[in-house]
Structure formats: C-alpha cells, structure tokens
Amino acid sequence: LISSSKDVARRNKDESRGAGTGLGTANFDTDEEAENFRLSLGTKFIKFCVSLVKLNIRNPYCAIPYMSDYKEPWTDERFYKHFNITKEEQAVIEKEIEKYS
C-alpha cells in the first residue's frame, strides 16, 4: 500500500528497525483502526478502484487509497464525500460492481 505522500504503508511496526515488517502492510495505532481499514476493503468504492487496474489474480494494492485516518469506519458514502464523487459517478461505480456480485 502506498500513502498519499508515496511512503510505503506498513503494519506491525518493528521499533528496533524503525520500519514495518514488509511491503503491502500497514501500521495502525489500535486494533479498531486496523479493523476499520480491513472493513474499508469491502466497500464498493475500493472494489471499483481495484477493478480499474486488476489484470490477473494478484491483488493490485496500488489501487487502494490509503487514507490518513481510520479512527472511524470508511463507508462508500464517506469515500464518495471525501473524493467529491457525484451521484452520476456513484451510479457508474455501483453498476460496475454489480457485475462482480
């Protein structure tokens, strides 16, 4: 995962090395934040982002926006508001994701 500042996002931070345990992971201060991140991966918005770049069985983590705050759950509605997604664009996203349901 890549943050908006192009840093690799990490989880399970190893304080002795000052880095996370590997690429494609992310650091969170609390279990609640980690769970909110995990739940965000199930939103139609995130599934749509992934569908734009997915070419094979591997999950393209580069397509997942890494938000700076996971203290509150990220829902489709919250993503739409944050990224100023119009009602028409929301309809396109939801129609596209229906193909995969």
Side-chain angles (χ1 to χ4, degrees), residues 23-88:
L23 268 164
T25 62
N27 280 333
F28 299 100
D29 293 331
T30 67
D31 289 341
E32 181 180 15
E33 289 174 290
E35 179 65 1
N36 286 338
F37 171 76
R38 187 189 69 76
L39 292 173
S40 75
L41 300 177
T43 63
K44 292 176 184 176
F45 178 79
I46 295 295
K47 289 178 181 180
F48 180 74
C49 291
V50 170
S51 76
L52 296 175
V53 297
K54 190 168 186 172
L55 300 174
N56 58 34
I57 197 69
R58 295 172 190 243
N59 195 355
Y61 293 109
C62 64
I64 299 172
Y66 183 73
M67 309 308 289
S68 61
D69 176 14
Y70 285 94
K71 290 181 175 133
E72 299 293 325
W74 281 91
T75 62
D76 284 315
E77 293 73 24
R78 189 171 175 205
F79 279 123
Y80 294 158
K81 183 177 179 182
H82 180 81
F83 289 106
N84 297 318
I85 306 295
T86 67
K87 293 289 183 191
E88 294 79 15

